[in-house]
């Protein structure tokens, strides 16, 4: 006589029933959404991140996450998440500081001018600390899901399929970079941060690390000697510096704009004021402002900047600089370049 127990189907290791399949599908969908959540979080803090939802990329990322779940290896998944999270920290930081996605050329300069980048990053870190939350919250949540619900008793073919899906997601971009030019890997402002990161870092890996053919243009080398200051008689008592952030010269009446947007400056020009075109030294205000106050060409000349601070030259040769009048003067009267960042 056949008992009920003999008719019970005991799942073998690696076999999933429909409940397990539904749970795994939900987990794949959830971790995929978490890896795209960092852009949405950053958009709460800055309008510079303009990433939109990309259906094609979402499907590709869905297959990538399926591969992570099928791999059955917590160590493997942890390494992949650390890699992606590190790229996103750099990508979203650049969006926050510079206002645009990171491209391969800028990525190369970040490494070649790491000292300058570190100085600017530390000076304004408080204004961009949201990047840490934007990346850490979703990536740690995804990591916790993988560590808590990942099954290690997957079959060998499932594990192999998972590794193949992950490898396809990570290696397809570098492979394309071997036969396509830079234009195919430039970031798009409405792409997700991770999509731009994979493009940028893939092109950088192939052309900078492996081939050594992509290098940022070397910084212009200024003269090593101190700028020569020639005193001349003057009745001027004060020197004023007015700075307008994000002001376009083509919208100024004194620069040829059809509307009279600068009537007061126009009257000053009749009295001898000279107006010339200028080009900002950097996109970020924090990077370009210190270079206004230094007789050194941009970028990367930190040692010369410290020896050529204009306020220090003024104090020594031209005029007295009162304490507290400029952000570059500390409370004890010492002129410091770093505080100007």
């Amino acid at each position: 006589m056949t008992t009920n127990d003999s008719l019970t189907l005991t799942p073998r290791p690696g076999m999933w029933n429909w409940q397990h399949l539904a749970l795994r599908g939900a987990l794949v969908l959830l971790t995929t959404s978490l890896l795209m959540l960092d852009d949405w979080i950053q958009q709460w803090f800055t309008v510079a991140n303009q990433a939109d939802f990309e259906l094609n990329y979402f499907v590709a990322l869905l297959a990538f996450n399926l591969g992570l779940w099928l791999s059955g290896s917590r160590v493997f998944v942890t390494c992949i998440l650390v890699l992606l999270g590190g790229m996103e920290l750099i990508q979203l930081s650049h969006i926050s500081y510079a206002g645009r996605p990171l491209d391969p050329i800028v990525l190369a300069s970040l490494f070649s001018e790491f000292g300058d980048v570190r100085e600017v990053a530390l000076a304004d870190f408080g204004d961009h600390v949201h990047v840490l939350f934007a990346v850490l919250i979703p990536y740690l949540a995804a990591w916790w899901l993988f560590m808590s619900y990942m099954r290690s008793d997957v079959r060998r073919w499932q594990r192999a399929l998972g590794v193949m899906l992950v490898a396809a997601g990570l290696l397809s971009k570098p492979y394309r970079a071997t036969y396509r030019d830079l234009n195919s890997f430039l970031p798009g402002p409405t792409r997700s941060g991770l999509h731009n990161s994979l493009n940028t870092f893939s092109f950088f890996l192939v052309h900078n690390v492996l081939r050594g053919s992509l290098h940022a243009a070397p910084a212009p080398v200024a003269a090593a000697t101190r700028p020569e200051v020639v005193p001349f008689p003057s009745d001027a008592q004060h020197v004023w510096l007015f700075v307008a952030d994000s002001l376009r010269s083509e919208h100024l009446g004194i620069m040829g704009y059809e509307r009279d947007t600068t009537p007061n400056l126009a009257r000053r020009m009749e009295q001898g004021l000279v107006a010339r075109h200028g080009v900002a030294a950097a996109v970020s205000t924090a990077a370009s402002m210190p270079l206004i106050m230094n007789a050194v060409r941009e970028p990367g000349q930190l040692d010369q900047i410290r020896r050529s601070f204009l306020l220090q030259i003024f104090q020594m040769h031209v005029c007295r600089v009162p304490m507290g009048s400029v952000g570059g003067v500390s409370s004890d009267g010492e002129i410091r370049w770093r505080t100007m960042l």
Side-chain angles (χ1 to χ4, degrees):
M1 178 176 181
T2 305
T3 62
N4 291 335
D5 291 339
S6 65
L7 297 177
T8 302
L9 177 63
T10 302
R12 292 175 298 173
M15 292 185 63
W16 294 344
N17 57 31
W18 288 109
Q19 291 181 342
H20 283 145
L21 288 176
L23 175 61
R24 299 305 158 187
L27 289 172
V28 170
L29 183 61
L30 183 56
T31 54
T32 302
S33 301
L34 285 172
L35 294 189
M36 300 186 69
L37 187 63
D38 49 3
D39 289 309
W40 184 63
I41 295 178
Q42 188 179 41
Q43 289 172 354
W44 286 357
F45 298 92
T46 176
V47 297
N49 191 323
Q50 303 176 19
D52 290 333
F53 178 76
E54 302 174 271
L55 180 59
N56 293 340
Y57 180 70
F58 179 78
V59 172
L61 194 59
L62 202 66
F64 181 84
N65 274 267
L66 176 61
L68 291 177
W69 284 104
L70 289 175
S71 69
S73 172
R74 291 177 172 84
V75 175
F76 177 70
V77 168
T78 299
C79 293
I80 296 298
L81 291 181
V82 169
L83 173 66
L84 300 182
M87 291 192 301
E88 278 299 86
L89 273 176
I90 298 176
Q91 178 68 252
L92 298 191
S93 295
H94 188 268
I95 292 176
S96 182
Y97 277 88
R100 57 188 176 87
L102 182 68
D103 62 66
I105 300 296
V106 175
L107 179 60
S109 67
L110 291 183
F111 289 103
S112 63
E113 300 174 9
F114 182 76
D116 294 31
V117 175
R118 181 185 58 190
E119 294 279 358
V120 174
L122 293 177
D124 283 345
F125 178 75
D127 296 333
H128 308 278
V129 69
H130 68 269
V131 173
L132 290 177
F133 299 103
V135 176
L136 291 180
I137 290 176
Y139 275 80
L140 286 177
W143 179 80
W144 179 82
L145 289 173
F146 279 112
M147 297 304 104
S148 301
Y149 295 98
M150 173 168 282
R151 295 183 56 171
S152 58
D153 60 338
V154 295
R155 288 186 171 185
R156 185 173 300 176
W157 70 267
Q158 294 170 340
R159 193 184 303 271
L161 177 61
V163 173
M164 290 176 58
L165 288 174
V166 174
L170 292 180
L171 300 181
S172 60
K173 297 287 187 179
Y175 173 71
R176 290 174 56 199
T178 61
Y179 62 89
R180 292 194 176 183
D181 59 13
L182 178 62
N183 291 330
S184 301
F185 289 84
L186 291 177
T190 59
R191 290 178 186 162
S192 76
L194 188 56
H195 190 176
N196 281 328
S197 293
L198 290 173
N199 280 339
T200 295
F201 281 86
S202 296
F203 195 86
F204 173 81
L205 173 66
V206 172
H207 291 271
N208 188 281
V209 178
L210 300 181
R211 295 181 176 177
S213 59
L214 174 67
H215 294 283
V221 179
T225 58
R226 294 179 62 85
E228 182 180 356
V229 178
V230 180
F232 60 91
S234 175
D235 296 330
Q237 299 295 318
H238 302 284
V239 176
W240 294 87
L241 174 64
F242 295 92
V243 178
D245 199 1
S246 302
L247 179 64
R248 301 172 63 89
S249 61
E250 60 262 34
H251 289 173
L252 299 180
I254 59 173
M255 306 300 288
Y257 188 48
E258 57 184 12
R259 294 174 54 193
D260 187 15
T261 56
T262 52
N264 293 326
L265 289 177
R267 286 192 294 269
R268 292 289 184 180
M269 290 187 68
E270 295 176 356
Q271 302 172 5
L273 176 68
V274 178
R276 296 188 177 94
H277 283 280
V279 179
V283 175
S284 171
T285 303
S288 61
M289 273 301 298
L291 300 169
I292 295 178
M293 304 304 299
N294 293 280
V296 176
R297 294 183 63 188
E298 182 270 337
Q301 311 299 326
L302 288 183
D303 182 65
Q304 294 183 39
I305 285 176
R306 294 188 179 98
R307 292 185 286 106
S308 306
F309 191 58
L310 290 187
L311 293 182
Q312 190 175 27
I313 297 175
F314 289 163
Q315 192 176 50
M316 294 173 60
H317 300 283
V318 182
C319 60
R320 174 178 175 270
V321 180
M323 287 188 298
S325 61
V326 181
V329 183
S330 64
S331 58
D332 57 1
E334 179 185 2
I335 299 178
R336 296 175 179 171
W337 168 78
R338 291 185 180 181
T339 56
M340 291 300 296
L341 283 173

